[in-house]
Amino acid sequence: MAQKQVRSTPSSARVYRRRRLAVLIALLVAIGLLVWAGFGIASVLRPADPGATGQGTDAVAGGTGSASPQPSQENTNEPTPEPTDCLDGDVSLRASTAQGTHGPAENPVLVMTITNEGKFDCSVNVGTSQQDFSVTSGSDRIFSTSDCVQDPTDTEITIKPGASETARFTWTRVRSAPGCKVINAKPRPGWYGFTAKLGDLTSENAKFELK
């Protein structure tokens, strides 16, 4: 007896395609979280105000944060003193956003500003092992870059007295959880808080609004 061939119906084909699309979307979300972790935290550190700090060149992560001065003839043979590590109270940390209110299609740019409040050049570790950009809504923990950081590194830069360096991270309005777990829920319109952390330093909370 000839076997009867079973043909898929248009409805079953649509269900199959829908399931494949759902799996693909979940995969893309997971890949996206890894991308922002690797790219965002290792953001460019640059002078907050070149005119005020006297720094004429941008300093990428791994740089010194300022141009090295040229020695004069009188002290050419004298060794240049090595900068010491910044001590407690030498460095201040400030959190801010590029703008206060963001429309539905605008992603907030979170800004971490590191300032040398001391009287001497000092070095500070600004690597991905130290940085954290956190977003909260009241007591609700919304997002943290430390949830998905990959291969954290240490990066020492030297900051002159009174000078500042900034690190920026563009938050794409996603939630995160420890272990880089995928969370489908999107943050709703309203007021949020951004806190910057660098090692043991924690900034005050900066408020911003999502429309």
Side-chain angles (χ1 to χ4, degrees):
M1 179 185 295
Q3 294 184 351
K4 185 176 181 180
Q5 186 176 6
V6 178
R7 300 181 61 184
S8 60
T9 64
S11 60
S12 62
R14 285 196 297 270
V15 171
Y16 176 71
R17 287 196 298 270
R18 191 178 300 115
R19 288 176 178 173
R20 289 190 59 186
L21 180 60
V23 172
L24 179 60
I25 291 174
L27 179 61
L28 290 176
V29 170
I31 294 174
L33 286 174
L34 294 176
V35 169
W36 66 247
F39 175 80
I41 305 177
S43 57
V44 174
L45 283 162
R46 61 184 71 244
D49 186 353
T53 62
Q55 298 172 339
T57 58
D58 291 343
V60 298
T64 61
S66 63
S68 301
Q70 296 296 323
S72 63
Q73 293 182 352
E74 289 78 13
N75 63 2
T76 300
N77 296 326
E78 296 180 3
T80 303
E82 291 291 332
T84 59
D85 292 339
C86 296
L87 302 177
D88 292 341
D90 285 344
V91 176
S92 65
L93 197 65
R94 185 170 66 90
S96 61
T97 55
Q99 60 191 61
T101 300
H102 307 79
E106 295 177 315
N107 292 324
V109 177
L110 312 179
V111 183
M112 175 192 299
T113 302
I114 310 160
T115 302
N116 182 355
E117 305 285 358
K119 297 180 179 180
F120 305 98
D121 293 8
C122 67
S123 63
V124 59
N125 186 353
V126 297
T128 57
S129 63
Q130 305 297 310
Q131 292 186 36
D132 181 65
F133 296 73
S134 298
V135 176
T136 56
S137 176
S139 59
D140 188 6
R141 181 185 186 276
I142 302 295
F143 173 87
S144 174
T145 52
S146 62
D147 288 339
C148 284
V149 64
Q150 300 292 311
D151 300 323
T153 59
D154 295 325
T155 302
E156 295 283 341
I157 66 170
T158 299
I159 307 180
K160 290 184 174 297
S164 297
E165 303 284 350
T166 62
R168 295 169 179 260
F169 177 82
T170 301
W171 178 46
T172 55
R173 298 183 181 226
V174 295
R175 279 181 173 264
S176 69
C180 206
K181 297 177 182 178
V182 177
I183 300 179
N184 294 324
K186 285 280 189 178
R188 298 178 179 179
W191 284 94
Y192 290 81
F194 158 50
T195 302
K197 294 182 180 179
L198 186 71
D200 295 331
L201 294 175
T202 301
S203 72
E204 293 185 358
N205 193 269
K207 301 294 185 182
F208 64 95
E209 185 182 15
L210 298 182
K211 291 291 190 179

